[in-house]
Amino acid sequence: MTFKALRALLLRRFNIPKERAIKRTLRSFTMAEKTVFYFFAAVFILSGLILFWKASSAFLTEVPIQGGTLTEGVIGNPRFINPVLAISEADKNLSSLVYSGLVRLTPEGKVQNDLAESVRISENRLTYTAAVRGNARFHDGTPVTADDIIFTIQKIVDPGIKSPKRGNWDSVTIEKIDERTVAFKLKKPYAPFIYNLTVGILPKHIWKNVTEDEFSFSQFNTLPVGSGPYEVERVERNSGGIPDYYKLISFKDAGGKEAYIKNLVFRFYPSEVALIEAFNDREVDAVGGISPEKLSGLNVAGAQIIRGELPRIFAVFFNQSRSKVLLNKEVRQALELAAPKEEIVEKVLYGYGTAINGPMPAGIYPWSTEKSGVSSQEERLSKAKEILAKAGWKMNEETQVLEKKLNKDTISLSFSISTGDAPELRQVADVLVAAWQKLGAQVLVSVSETGDLNQNVIRPRQFDALLFGLVVGRDADLYPFWHSSQRNDPGLNIALYANARADKFLENARATGDAEAIEKNYRSFQNEITSDIPAVFLYTPSFLYLLPEKVGAVSLGPLSIAQDRFLGVRNWYIETDKVWKIFLN
């Protein structure tokens, strides 16, 4: 269309049908009639617009879009943003976002392919064959290959590197099938091995010239390049050259889907007190892992508190080889009955925890939190006293401690509890002592610094009873903590528990990949351990995560470690838009 033709079209006079008749009719109206006419015309137009808006809204839906910034505060400074070396919470948080593995976990604990397009498990469950996606790329655009996977595992198992993940890869060999395929070979079936494949993959082309001696000092530990959902855009350092600010941006080639939140900013603080101050000053708008007792000091206006169960248990473990009184099953049974688990959860954890009755953490199987038939604490205490009285325990009126005659000796219901110097553990110990004193027990509490507790109490098994927490992990493998082969150091069976039937159930659960069979064996194992009472199981703590209300789609399932809160980060969003439903995929 030429300019002249367009000009002529714009200047053309358009006639409305019956225009002259309408104008003539309007001129014939009186002022009152015109007022009424225009009023109803305006009402008609406004009603039409409202109806159109409502009809349009019925077909519109709100959807997340890319954009927004989330700033999180973390205690401690990162040193090894490297999946091979990551030790601190700061290291692990950033590593989980910058790097990706062959597979990843969903917040619900399901395994999904990440860098891998497929993972095949042989019928004998000894070989895991993983094929890398053809479009898998590192942040610098370099393709991810089998060589990168082999290189990463070689660094993990290299004793000179001293990777904290080395134990996960003992007795595992890796073989290159082709440029995109590798095979992992085990000496015996181990169902939780699939979780090993979540380890982040290093880019060999960047790290290949870094020697063993230089590995932990390389600049790539603080300026990482991975293939995860976020890449590093900017780093700021303090006067000592230590990174105290990281800005991450979403990576467009992360598993074929870009995270909705465009920017993740991390600021680092020396203590929980400093972190809380930063949150209250709105320097950061998200914090994770805050202890329950500190919540009252937080300005939570405009924030949402999200909780997830940690796959950990806290219990009092009995050392029957050291304490004669704890050799008596009726004593262990009475102590278990009289333990005020619900009171501990409410008073010490402020409700952010779950009472348990066995070695399995809450949140994995529903039966791990089933309550016994005796409900109230008073009923439980009364039942515990009956059990002891029936077994011959009598109160010494002078000492107010129960005693029992065994042959020519008289033993008193007296023992000590060893625990760490964490405030939470000390409070739990005080609650237990108060409850067990009502039973007629004399309980002393021995508190040690964490390092000293591990070195001089736990490893040599120098305790009567131990109030301690076990990190069972997402794979819920109880073998290391309860199999009789793990009773001595460096084994983790700190209750020195030995039961041939229980061992078999643990072995069966480890060897099978069938979820129903695993649960059946663990249920049978719990029945055995409930009968033997080698420990008083207390609670599973909750992980607390404070986020702005503007952040949507955040859900936390059971968390093995704190950085598991980012398992669903690709689906989190801040910005939204409205689109017609017919345009949704």
Side-chain angles (χ1 to χ4, degrees):
M1 180 180 287
T2 65
F3 174 75
K4 287 184 177 181
L6 177 63
R7 184 172 182 274
L9 179 65
L10 294 174
L11 293 175
R12 180 182 173 187
R13 177 182 176 85
F14 293 94
N15 294 319
I16 300 174
K18 305 290 184 181
E19 180 183 2
R20 290 182 179 180
I22 293 172
K23 286 182 176 179
R24 195 164 48 246
T25 302
L26 289 174
R27 281 197 296 267
S28 68
F29 284 176
T30 65
M31 184 59 69
E33 290 172 332
K34 286 181 180 180
T35 302
V36 173
F37 174 79
Y38 285 122
F39 171 76
F40 282 107
V43 170
F44 176 78
I45 293 172
L46 182 61
S47 300
L49 291 173
I50 293 173
L51 287 172
F52 176 79
W53 177 77
K54 287 189 174 182
S56 177
S57 298
F59 292 98
L60 287 174
T61 186
E62 192 172 59
V63 296
I65 60 173
Q66 263 80 31
T69 298
L70 178 64
T71 302
E72 179 158 340
V74 178
I75 298 173
N77 294 84
R79 182 182 174 192
F80 301 118
I81 308 174
N82 179 333
V84 174
L85 296 175
I87 298 175
S88 70
E89 290 301 318
D91 293 341
K92 294 175 182 177
N93 286 333
L94 292 174
S95 292
S96 68
L97 294 165
V98 173
Y99 291 94
S100 56
L102 288 168
V103 301
R104 68 170 178 256
L105 297 174
T106 67
E108 297 75 31
K110 296 181 180 179
V111 178
Q112 289 184 343
N113 290 334
D114 197 348
L115 291 175
E117 66 180 9
S118 67
V119 178
R120 300 191 310 274
I121 305 174
S122 63
E123 288 187 12
N124 61 7
R125 309 195 67 80
L126 294 177
T127 303
Y128 290 68
T129 305
V132 180
R133 285 187 290 108
N135 64 347
R137 297 286 187 275
F138 288 107
H139 296 152
D140 61 2
T142 305
V144 181
T145 68
D147 290 333
D148 297 303
I149 298 164
I150 294 172
F151 177 82
T152 301
I153 305 308
Q154 287 175 339
K155 290 301 178 184
I156 290 175
V157 300
D158 185 343
I161 299 296
K162 298 179 181 178
S163 170
K165 290 184 171 63
R166 184 184 174 193
N168 296 340
W169 294 90
D170 284 345
S171 304
V172 178
T173 57
I174 183 170
E175 176 185 340
K176 180 178 178 179
I177 306 300
D178 57 42
E179 289 303 312
R180 291 176 43 227
T181 311
V182 294
F184 303 93
K185 297 185 177 181
L186 286 61
K187 290 186 177 179
K188 59 182 180 180
Y190 178 53
F193 176 76
I194 190 68
Y195 298 107
N196 283 18
L197 303 186
T198 62
V199 66
I201 302 301
L202 294 175
K204 181 180 178 180
H205 68 281
I206 289 178
W207 285 90
K208 63 182 179 181
N209 295 323
V210 179
T211 66
E212 180 183 293
D213 293 336
E214 297 170 337
F215 196 81
S216 61
F217 301 102
S218 171
Q219 64 174 338
F220 302 121
N221 285 315
T222 52
L223 297 172
V225 175
S227 56
Y230 285 87
E231 60 181 309
V232 175
E233 183 188 62
R234 191 166 93 239
V235 182
E236 295 179 5
R237 302 173 186 269
N238 60 24
S239 58
I242 299 173
D244 60 3
Y245 174 98
Y246 272 84
K247 181 182 179 183
L248 310 183
I249 58 173
S250 57
F251 179 48
K252 293 183 180 180
D253 192 35
K257 179 182 178 182
E258 183 180 0
Y260 289 119
I261 298 180
K262 187 65 179 176
N263 307 298
L264 288 183
V265 175
F266 287 86
R267 296 181 180 275
F268 305 94
Y269 300 90
S271 65
E272 189 177 39
V273 172
L275 178 59
I276 290 173
E277 184 177 343
F279 181 83
N280 288 337
D281 291 341
R282 295 299 183 254
E283 190 174 302
V284 298
D285 47 25
V287 293
I290 292 292
S291 51
E293 69 269 17
K294 296 293 175 45
L295 278 180
S296 60
L298 286 168
N299 179 8
V300 296
Q304 52 181 324
I305 302 175
I306 301 176
R307 60 185 286 184
E309 301 299 338
L310 290 165
R312 304 176 184 177
I313 66 158
F314 281 81
V316 177
F317 301 90
F318 298 132
N319 185 352
Q320 299 174 50
S321 65
R322 179 181 168 93
S323 173
K324 289 183 178 181
V325 68
L326 295 176
L327 271 172
N328 296 270
K329 184 176 180 178
E330 73 272 8
V331 170
R332 303 195 304 275
Q333 187 177 5
L335 293 173
E336 200 282 331
L337 272 171
K341 303 176 185 182
E342 289 76 14
E343 181 184 346
I344 289 172
V345 169
E346 291 302 319
K347 288 188 176 180
V348 180
L349 304 181
Y350 296 85
Y352 293 105
T354 306
I356 57 175
N357 295 299
M360 188 64 71
I364 298 177
Y365 299 119
W367 42 262
S368 64
T369 56
E370 288 179 352
K371 295 183 178 180
S372 61
V374 182
S375 55
S376 72
Q377 183 60 27
E378 290 75 15
E379 289 176 312
R380 291 168 64 89
L381 181 62
S382 176
K383 180 67 175 177
K385 289 180 176 179
E386 289 178 15
I387 291 172
L388 291 174
K390 188 176 180 180
W393 290 87
K394 296 181 180 180
M395 181 67 70
N396 182 317
E397 297 300 331
E398 184 177 340
T399 63
Q400 290 298 298
V401 176
L402 290 174
E403 294 180 343
K404 180 180 179 179
K405 288 188 177 181
L406 289 177
N407 300 324
K408 295 182 180 180
D409 297 325
T410 299
I411 61 172
S412 62
L413 210 170
S414 177
F415 61 95
S416 65
I417 296 179
S418 299
T419 193
D421 58 358
E424 177 186 302
L425 291 176
R426 299 184 70 165
Q427 291 178 55
V428 171
D430 290 341
V431 174
L432 287 171
V433 169
W436 288 341
Q437 282 178 342
K438 294 178 182 178
L439 189 64
Q442 182 182 58
V443 186
L444 303 176
V445 178
S446 175
V447 177
S448 303
E449 182 272 329
T450 303
D452 183 55
L453 181 74
N454 182 61
Q455 191 67 29
N456 300 320
V457 178
I458 298 176
R459 296 187 65 179
R461 310 298 195 251
Q462 293 297 311
F463 57 85
D464 293 344
L466 175 69
L467 172 57
F468 194 65
L470 298 179
V471 181
V472 176
R474 184 181 291 273
D475 55 8
D477 183 18
L478 299 181
Y479 184 101
F481 309 105
W482 297 103
H483 195 274
S484 60
S485 65
Q486 306 298 307
R487 284 177 294 171
N488 299 318
D489 183 63
L492 300 176
N493 183 351
I494 52 181
L496 287 81
Y497 182 59
N499 179 314
R501 283 173 52 83
D503 283 352
K504 190 63 178 176
F505 293 132
L506 292 173
E507 292 162 7
N508 291 343
R510 231 184 190 205
T512 182
D514 181 74
E516 289 186 7
I518 292 173
E519 181 176 359
K520 182 179 178 181
N521 278 288
Y522 278 142
R523 186 69 187 265
S524 298
F525 169 73
Q526 174 151 313
N527 291 337
E528 288 292 322
I529 213 167
T530 301
S531 174
D532 294 334
I533 321 175
V536 173
F537 301 102
L538 299 173
Y539 62 89
T540 288
S542 296
F543 179 86
L544 303 182
Y545 193 25
L546 277 71
L547 286 164
E549 291 179 348
K550 65 181 179 180
V551 182
V554 181
S555 64
L556 304 182
L559 284 77
S560 176
I561 43 183
Q563 66 267 26
D564 279 354
R565 66 187 182 277
F566 297 122
L567 290 177
V569 71
R570 291 170 174 82
N571 298 320
W572 299 1
Y573 64 87
I574 294 175
E575 304 290 342
T576 61
D577 195 4
K578 288 189 175 183
V579 300
W580 286 64
K581 294 178 182 179
I582 59 174
F583 295 116
L584 292 177
N585 293 328

